[in-house]
Each structure stands twice: as C-alpha cells, then as structure tokens.
Amino acid sequence: MHAAAPDGARPAPAPATVPVPDVFDPRRYAKGIPHEAYRLLRDRHPVAWQEEPEFDGWPAGPGFWAVTRHADVVRVLRDHTAYSSWLGATQIRDPDPADLPFLRRTMLNQDPPGHGRLRRLVSRAFTPARVDAFAARVRERARTLLAGARYRAEDGAADVVATVTDEYALLNLTDLLGIPAADRALLLEWTVRVIGYQDPEDAPEPLRGPDGRPLNPRSPALLGEMFAYARELAAYKRRHPGDDVMTSLATAGLEPAELEMFFFLLTVAGNDTVRSAAPGALLALAGAPGAYRRLAAGEVPVERAVEELLRVHPPVLSFRRTAAADTELAGQPIRAGDKVVVFHASANHDERVFAEPGRLDLARTPNPHVSFGDGPHVCLGAHFARLQLRVLQEEWRTAMPAPELAGPPRRLVSNFINGITRLPLRVSGPGR
C-alpha cells in the first residue's frame, strides 16, 4: 500500500525487498531487450512503479506503473473502461496538454464506442481479400530485393536493413495505400522522425520550441506536412479512384481530421511494424541455426514459425494506458490518472504462459503472444504484416544462405519500438 503523503502529492510506493529494475531508459534497449530485468519484475514486482527522468532534452515525467506479466498485460489491453487510451493517449511520455485534443482524433488514442466507429470504417478498406490480392506483388518484391542484396554484397555480406527490409516494408505499404512511386521516400522520412525520435543516430535533429526543448514529433506543428499530403492524395483519389486503401478512405465519408489521422496511423504504424519485425526475425534465426535448419528443410510450417519469431521480437515494446478510476492490478492499488504501461516483450516471455520462453521454438503451439496487442486495439494490419513476414521467410530460405551475422547489429534507442537499424548478414553462398 502507499504511505501517506502531504498536500495530496503522490505517495511513494512501499520500499521493495528486491530492487525494482529500470525498464524505462530508452538507452538500455540499444543493448537488447532487458529480459533479466523483465523476469525479475514478473516474479517480484509484476506491477512496478517506474521513475521517468529527463532524457536527452525531454522533460521528466511523473512516473508510471510497468505491467510485465502476460495475464495482467492482456487484462489492461482488454479493459478499456478501467484503462483508457483516450485520457492520456498511448505513449509513455505525457503529451503537451494543448496537443492532447489533436492526438485524440486517431483511433489509437480513443476508447469504445468512438474507437469502434472509426475501426469499422478503416476495416472496410483494409480487408483480408484486398491484402491477399497483393501477395504476388509482395513475393516479387522480396525476390528482387534479396537478389539485389546479393549482387551488391561486399565480401559476401550486406546490411539487410538498408538493402532489403526497410524498402520491403515501405514499398509494400505504399502499394496497398496507393501512394505514387515518386512520393514514397516521404513516408520513410516521416516514419523515422516519429518513431526514431529517442535515437540520436536514427532521427534527424529535432525541431525545438521557444524554450529550447524538443517538440513532440506527434504534435500538430510537426505533422502539418504529412496532413497536407494526405488531403492532396485523398482529393486525387476521389478524381482518380483505384483499388487501394486511400481510395476507400477518401470515399468513406470521414471528417478531414479523421482522414489525416488515419493516414498518419497507417503510414507510421503500418510501415514500422514490418520494418521492425522483419530484421528482428532474421536476427533471431541467426542466433538459432538449428531452428533455421528445421525451417529451411520444411519441417516447420512457415506460418507457425512467423508467430514464434513475432513472440521473441515484437515490433512494439510498450503501450500506455491511463487509469480511469481507482483500481487494483495484481494486488497493487492504482489511482485514477496513473499511467499504466504494458510491456509486450515481457509478456511474451512469461514462464506462466510459455514453456522455456528463452528458446526459439518455431513449432510452438499454442502461441498466445501479444505482439499485435489484444482487446479492442489489436493491430488492424496484422494480416498484412503476417503475409509480408511469411513471404520474406519463404523467399529467404529459397535464395539465401542460413542467416549468419557478419558484424554487430545495431538496435534503435527506444523504449517504444523494437527496432533494428543495422543488420549485417552473410548473403553469399547457396540457399538453405
């Protein structure tokens, strides 16, 4: 229980007999997912208070509750009445209060029933049938990019992020959205600015406000260019409709602000899911050559292998909710207004759910990972992501050697996205 605190200030959590490890600092994720810290939290502090200090010019925050067990993560993600996406949006850092109404326009930062209305609208555009119709194009792109990586290899090695996976994710998404080829580089630029803002190497120099502090990359001031483009593209699609997602959104009767936020969400989340998961899967396989041999030999269904690769390398590390009322989670009292942050990678390694979670078992079943979330906000593009990841694995095992590191990988400095920014692999030699 909390100790008493004067003047209505937040009381400090009770002293812990086992120190609570920090899982907030974005820099520690550049060294890899902190599985030992997660395990300690699951075992001893499943709902643990985390400090939120200043980082690289970003101001300190009030702190939050870290939720690390699978059952508790699922409970938070499913219970939108107790744990709201709307109250404080879904990033750990608090947005500027002036930006919050703007951020609430996207369905990611809404609760039912408003969330459901927007989700139904975009679901009509993002149908499995439309996604599946792109399978042949996705496969041809995988073959072309893999062949190009081999052709441009130096000493038999290539950075597959730069030569394969970044373009693979980006071009597949722009095909589905119906974005002209000449404009596709814009999407990558916007994604890097929004996703990589914690990483001094991956992100451009942040724009700063009058006080010298960085502007939030999701603020209206920094998204104006993207929104203007979305309006122009929607107008073009109304005049020149096609069989693509943007045509469907442009003719769905959305308010202009809703269409802009859908474009933002699909552009950034739709791109970065595969942009993170694809190299993460190859890195995992490079560390488990025996598992890869089984996959290459056809002993494991690729669809099942993809689920296990998603389990060990979820694209998203964390998502935030805000307690709508005083409540309790895993015995820990939580006050209304507290930030509650679920950690997907920890839930995916919970020994209470997954036998030998540290082992890459490509045949694992059942595999109830939460890499695409759960509850009303489960990832809308999961079907498209799975298609791309499956095809890439199928084409890799046909054309490429077993994944083998040719140098150290580099991970994104982020406590939000589980990104790989460099992945040098051997790409010469026979397939399989």
Side-chain angles (χ1 to χ4, degrees):
M1 296 293 292
H2 291 305
D7 303 325
R10 165 155 302 287
T17 55
V18 176
V20 176
D22 166 37
V23 292
F24 167 76
D25 190 339
R27 293 165 294 194
R28 77 174 303 170
Y29 292 89
K31 303 173 184 176
I33 296 176
H35 285 300
E36 186 57 31
Y38 285 160
R39 185 196 60 76
L40 193 153
L41 289 176
R42 289 193 303 270
D43 288 349
R44 306 299 295 271
H45 312 288
V47 179
W49 186 254
Q50 295 279 305
E51 298 298 331
E52 197 181 344
E54 182 272 341
F55 169 73
D56 195 28
W58 296 92
F64 62 92
W65 297 106
V67 182
T68 47
R69 285 183 184 171
H70 186 278
D72 298 326
V73 166
V74 170
R75 177 180 170 186
V76 169
L77 293 176
R78 290 182 179 178
D79 189 355
H80 64 88
T81 59
Y83 305 101
S84 169
S85 300
W86 183 83
L87 284 173
T90 49
Q91 301 296 298
I92 294 178
R93 290 292 197 192
D94 286 327
D96 186 313
D99 290 345
L100 189 54
F102 163 80
L103 294 172
R104 286 170 172 165
R105 296 176 184 173
T106 177
M107 68 177 185
L108 187 68
N109 297 326
Q110 293 191 18
D111 298 325
H115 164 268
R117 180 187 71 84
L118 291 175
R119 188 178 178 95
R120 285 190 296 273
L121 283 172
V122 77
S123 294
R124 295 169 192 161
F126 224 86
T127 62
R130 171 171 281 148
V131 167
D132 290 342
F134 282 82
R137 200 179 306 181
V138 168
R139 189 172 301 279
E140 182 58 31
R141 178 160 291 125
R143 289 174 179 170
T144 300
L145 290 171
L146 292 174
R150 295 185 69 172
Y151 178 77
R152 297 193 300 271
E154 297 181 6
D155 298 324
D159 175 7
V160 298
V161 171
T163 59
V164 179
T165 57
D166 265 7
E167 283 195 70
Y168 182 68
L170 176 67
L171 297 180
N172 288 335
L173 178 66
T174 54
D175 277 353
L176 188 68
L177 292 178
I179 292 174
D183 299 338
R184 289 172 175 176
L186 288 171
L187 269 71
L188 182 59
E189 178 184 336
W190 292 328
T191 299
V192 167
R193 184 175 292 279
V194 172
I195 293 297
Y197 73 94
Q198 294 174 321
D199 191 323
E201 180 176 322
D202 197 56
E205 177 64 25
L207 298 178
R208 299 178 183 272
D211 60 358
R213 292 188 180 275
L215 293 173
N216 190 307
R218 295 171 179 81
S219 69
L222 294 188
L223 293 179
E225 182 184 15
M226 182 189 293
F227 288 169
Y229 178 81
R231 292 191 299 271
E232 292 173 9
L233 182 60
Y236 176 84
K237 292 295 181 180
R238 293 183 192 107
R239 297 192 304 269
H240 307 281
D243 184 17
D244 55 61
V245 169
M246 276 306 295
T247 296
S248 294
L249 291 178
T251 56
L254 294 167
E255 295 293 328
E258 292 174 337
L259 186 139
E260 292 165 5
M261 293 304 277
F262 268 130
F263 183 77
F264 162 74
L265 183 60
L266 293 172
T267 295
V268 176
N271 181 25
D272 218 70
T273 297
V274 174
R275 184 171 174 248
S276 300
L282 292 169
L283 178 60
L285 290 169
Y292 179 76
R293 283 193 293 271
R294 291 191 64 203
L295 177 62
E299 297 174 12
V300 179
V302 180
E303 293 86 351
R304 188 175 298 172
V306 164
E307 297 306 313
E308 177 70 350
L309 293 166
L310 283 165
R311 182 187 72 85
V312 302
H313 189 95
V316 175
L317 291 164
S318 65
F319 257 118
R320 174 250 184 105
R321 299 291 189 265
T322 303
D326 290 353
T327 186
E328 183 177 293
L329 184 64
Q332 174 61 55
I334 295 174
R335 289 185 174 180
D338 282 0
K339 292 191 282 190
V340 178
V341 178
V342 298
F343 284 82
H344 300 266
S346 177
N348 285 354
H349 280 71
D350 191 343
E351 301 83 352
R352 297 154 191 80
V353 177
F354 302 97
E356 297 182 81
R359 181 170 67 91
L360 184 68
D361 178 6
L362 297 181
R364 187 183 298 272
T365 184
N367 195 342
H369 66 76
V370 291
S371 297
F372 288 133
D374 205 318
H377 285 280
V378 68
C379 179
L380 189 65
H383 184 71
F384 191 42
R386 286 182 166 107
L387 167 68
Q388 295 175 78
L389 297 171
R390 173 178 59 80
V391 168
L392 185 62
Q393 289 298 330
E394 290 170 348
E395 294 303 317
W396 184 284
R397 72 179 184 180
T398 298
M400 308 293 278
E404 177 188 353
L405 285 174
R410 183 182 183 276
R411 293 176 177 270
L412 186 69
V413 177
S414 176
N415 55 21
F416 175 44
I417 292 294
N418 192 16
I420 307 289
T421 62
R422 283 198 298 274
L423 183 60
L425 292 181
R426 298 290 173 193
V427 295
S428 63
R432 302 196 183 191

